[in-house]
Amino acid sequence: MRRHICFKLMCSIMGCAVILLGIANTGFAQSPVFVIPPQYDAAWPFSEGLAQIEQDGQHGYIDTTGQLAFPLPHEYTENYNDYTWNFSEGMAKILRAGKYGFIDNTGEDRIPPQYDDSADFFKEGLAAVSKGGKWGFIDKNGQEVVKLQYDEAGSFYEGRAWVRKNGKMGFIDTTGKEVIPIQYESVSHFSDGLASVTKNGQSFLIDLTGTEVHLGKSFDYVIGFDEGMGVVIKEENFDLKYGFIDKSGNVVVEPQYERVLGFKEGIARVQQNGVWGFIDKTGKEIVKPQYHNASDFSEGLARVSKNMKYGFIDKTGNEVIPLQYEFAGDFNDGLAPVQKRYKWGYIAHPAPESRLPSGSDSPDDWAADGISVAIEAGLIPPALQKDYRNKITRQEFSTLVIHFIEAQTGTGIDHFLLEKNVSMPEPPFTDTVDKDVLAAYTLGIVSGKGAGRFDPEGSLTREEAAVMLRNTANVLDLDTAAPPASFADNELIAGWAYDSVAYVVSRGIMNGVGNNEFDPKGSYTRQQAYLTILRLFDP
């Protein structure tokens, strides 16, 4: 106990230094200043506002100011070395005395260590766990949602998780129903609505219903999609070459690289002659292969290394943080862990505004500041932090409001539904099984378009957005009473949307478009949606 108190005191003292060093932060792009000074024996990237650190044999989590959030008692024995993972969906995996469990973001055991193995993270409210060689899934309350019956299991992506039984693989949904038969030799997880599978030695794609998807030109392997781009492999004389196709099957990058990894923030890593570079979605090499090590872009920067020194580049290839560190982790929550003279500390993002994508992918000037605030507040899911000027789809807005509910309540959507004493029905739509859509439907936030369709890729109108925002406020027990709206185009507002328009306008959540008009049938962009969510968060 005495060591934990001393540990907390040291972190508190060093946290004060954070403020002082932050004031001296000038010329950052050339010579970054530590905002959490080098003091730790080990440090990990931030996740959900917390980062794991080790100091003098003691482990704990700090917040983004450098203050100790909570210590972690670790038990070292002859046979076991305790370990803890990063946070995801408010939970972090722990290994204690050879058994796995999960803690919450206060450091309390939410699911006491009892499993022989588990997935590293909760995904979509569930985590894969195993006992006695059999895998199943638990929720954040530790309830067994899917019976431990499989030989192996992966995490959920887009409402689907792969499972293995008797040497074959298939997919289950979040209720445990085997929605895609167990028949494949290998599978990938779902991304962009597609998964790569192998059956009878043949590799191809399937959609969320298990229907085969053929994209024209044949390749030896199709690995899977990220951000609308799929990795393909061509084999010639036992030599593998990697490239990319789009979702229409068009070849964007001919197979030519020794290795590639999926797109993140519009950029992909590629390897040639043993070194790494980066390409954009047109196939252009924005950074020619030259680095011995490289990470994905995160918050607009990528970690790279040469000759055992690490630094960071931006999306134009500029080394905005010189290669000078012994090691480094990625930027998350505006901070990156770096090692200098064998001690770890944290540097701040050199240009916080550049954490927003640049160029055509950036928000308009009138929206940029508000979106920065929304991102800092954790209101915009990382997957939606792009394409700001695009029209937002019905499925994307569903994801946005469910994420907002989780941020507001500090709990996962599964637990929130449990508190509301409601459960998700069998999928009511024929065109989507997206978990966020189903959760929003269960809570009465969204409805279908008729004939069993939700139209997930359909654009959202302004009056539909108003309805979803008011329904979300109702779910959170906010006061939604409002005086009537008085726009020149009131007669164009649908009867089912009128009260919702009145609410969002009276609270300043949405505004008119000029000339005293609301334009109820007008389209709604991502950046507009993000600002309204921010106003709902802090009206």
Side-chain angles (χ1 to χ4, degrees):
M1 176 63 71
R2 182 179 179 183
R3 294 192 68 186
H4 289 159
I5 295 172
C6 293
F7 178 49
K8 187 168 185 177
L9 179 61
M10 283 190 293
C11 286
S12 297
I13 293 171
M14 296 312 293
C16 295
V18 173
I19 300 173
L20 298 176
L21 285 172
I23 295 172
N25 184 6
T26 60
F28 192 91
Q30 299 301 318
S31 184
V33 175
F34 282 93
V35 294
I36 299 179
Q39 59 190 289
Y40 306 115
D41 301 318
W44 286 260
F46 273 88
S47 176
E48 300 185 356
L50 296 171
Q52 185 183 175
I53 50 89
E54 179 183 354
Q55 188 175 29
D56 298 329
Q58 298 295 308
H59 290 248
Y61 282 87
I62 59 172
D63 63 23
T64 54
T65 71
Q67 298 291 329
L68 180 68
F70 54 85
L72 274 178
H74 270 53
E75 302 171 3
Y76 295 94
T77 69
E78 182 178 349
N79 298 318
Y80 300 112
N81 182 356
D82 291 0
Y83 194 73
T84 311
W85 280 252
N86 282 345
F87 276 90
S88 173
E89 298 186 6
M91 307 280 276
K93 173 181 174 180
I94 57 170
L95 170 64
R96 189 182 302 147
K99 296 294 183 180
Y100 294 89
F102 291 86
I103 59 173
D104 63 21
N105 55 16
T106 69
E108 296 297 320
D109 282 1
R110 176 72 72 87
I111 300 168
Q114 58 190 286
Y115 296 102
D116 302 330
D117 202 354
S118 78
D120 288 347
F121 303 102
F122 268 86
K123 291 282 291 181
E124 301 186 10
L126 299 175
V129 295
S130 76
K131 278 184 182 179
K134 293 300 180 182
W135 287 78
F137 289 84
I138 58 171
D139 64 18
K140 292 180 183 179
N141 297 309
Q143 297 298 312
E144 190 177 294
V145 176
V146 180
K147 180 182 176 182
L148 277 62
Q149 58 184 301
Y150 297 105
D151 300 328
E152 197 176 356
S155 295
F156 276 93
Y157 290 85
E158 301 184 359
R160 300 284 184 265
W162 62 259
V163 292
R164 186 192 301 273
K165 183 182 284 188
N166 300 325
K168 297 291 185 181
M169 303 177 73
F171 291 88
I172 62 172
D173 65 16
T174 54
T175 70
K177 181 180 179 181
E178 292 178 4
V179 290
I180 298 177
I182 298 176
Q183 58 182 318
Y184 305 107
E185 288 102 52
S186 65
V187 302
S188 71
H189 67 73
F190 273 93
S191 179
D192 284 0
L194 298 171
S196 174
V197 299
T198 302
K199 184 177 181 181
N200 300 325
Q202 298 297 311
S203 175
F204 52 93
L205 297 170
I206 59 173
D207 65 17
L208 290 164
T209 68
T211 303
E212 293 185 17
V213 177
H214 297 282
L215 298 177
K217 187 172 181 179
S218 175
F219 294 94
D220 294 302
Y221 303 97
V222 181
I223 303 300
F225 279 77
D226 284 297
E227 297 187 3
M229 302 286 281
V231 176
V232 293
I233 304 175
K234 195 74 175 174
E235 181 178 1
E236 293 182 4
N237 300 321
F238 303 103
D239 183 27
L240 301 181
K241 294 296 183 183
Y242 293 74
F244 288 94
I245 60 174
D246 63 23
K247 292 187 76 171
S248 297
N250 300 311
V251 178
V252 179
V253 180
E254 288 285 352
Q256 59 185 288
Y257 293 104
E258 297 168 354
R259 190 180 175 197
V260 303
L261 293 167
F263 277 85
K264 298 291 185 296
E265 297 189 6
I267 307 292
R269 287 181 279 171
V270 296
Q271 186 184 56
Q272 200 73 292
N273 300 320
V275 291
W276 290 91
F278 295 86
I279 63 172
D280 64 19
K281 288 186 176 181
T282 70
K284 177 184 176 182
E285 285 187 352
I286 60 171
V287 179
K288 292 192 177 298
Q290 59 185 289
Y291 293 106
H292 300 144
N293 190 290
S295 73
D296 288 328
F297 273 88
S298 178
E299 300 188 351
L301 299 178
R303 171 174 47 94
V304 294
S305 74
K306 282 183 186 177
N307 303 320
M308 304 299 292
K309 292 294 183 183
Y310 286 79
F312 294 84
I313 62 171
D314 64 18
K315 291 183 179 181
T316 68
N318 291 326
E319 291 181 1
V320 293
I321 298 178
L323 278 62
Q324 59 183 300
Y325 301 109
E326 294 146 21
F327 204 76
D330 294 333
F331 273 96
N332 280 305
D333 295 331
L335 298 172
V338 294
Q339 186 183 43
K340 193 85 166 178
R341 297 187 183 91
Y342 307 107
K343 289 293 184 181
W344 286 83
Y346 290 84
I347 58 174
H349 200 290
E353 68 277 5
S354 71
R355 294 170 64 190
L356 294 172
S358 59
S360 61
D361 200 33
S362 63
D364 289 312
D365 290 343
W366 56 265
D369 289 345
I371 288 174
S372 293
V373 172
I375 289 175
E376 292 293 335
L379 302 181
I380 306 177
L384 294 182
Q385 293 175 21
K386 58 183 179 180
D387 300 330
Y388 293 93
R389 303 174 193 177
N390 288 3
K391 296 177 182 178
I392 194 165
T393 68
R394 288 166 52 78
Q395 180 170 308
E396 290 165 351
F397 202 80
S398 299
T399 296
L400 185 65
V401 296
I402 293 301
H403 184 82
F404 174 74
I405 289 171
E406 292 178 324
Q408 280 285 80
T409 61
T411 187
I413 194 61
D414 290 302
H415 186 64
F416 183 77
L417 291 171
L418 189 64
E419 289 179 340
K420 288 286 186 178
N421 198 30
V422 294
S423 58
M424 284 195 259
E426 286 290 318
F429 305 117
T430 59
D431 55 355
T432 184
V433 292
D434 180 78
K435 184 178 179 181
D436 292 330
V437 170
L438 298 183
Y441 173 80
T442 302
L443 290 168
I445 296 172
V446 300
S447 58
K449 287 284 196 176
R453 294 176 60 255
F454 180 74
D455 190 20
E457 300 303 318
S459 297
L460 195 72
T461 67
R462 288 171 53 80
E463 64 183 1
E464 287 176 330
V467 170
M468 291 177 69
L469 289 165
R470 183 171 182 258
N471 288 344
T472 302
N474 282 328
V475 166
L476 294 172
D477 298 322
L478 301 178
D479 179 15
T480 59
S486 57
F487 288 102
D489 58 352
N490 264 10
E491 72 281 359
L492 299 180
I493 302 172
W496 48 263
Y498 187 81
D499 288 343
S500 296
V501 171
Y503 163 71
V504 295
V505 171
S506 69
R507 298 297 195 279
I509 296 169
M510 291 179 71
N511 300 308
V513 296
N515 298 320
N516 193 32
E517 294 182 347
F518 185 75
D519 189 22
K521 314 301 182 189
S523 60
Y524 209 51
T525 64
R526 285 190 176 191
Q527 59 189 353
Q528 290 172 323
Y530 301 162
L531 293 182
T532 53
I533 282 291
L534 178 62
R535 293 167 192 152
L536 185 61
F537 171 71
D538 186 21

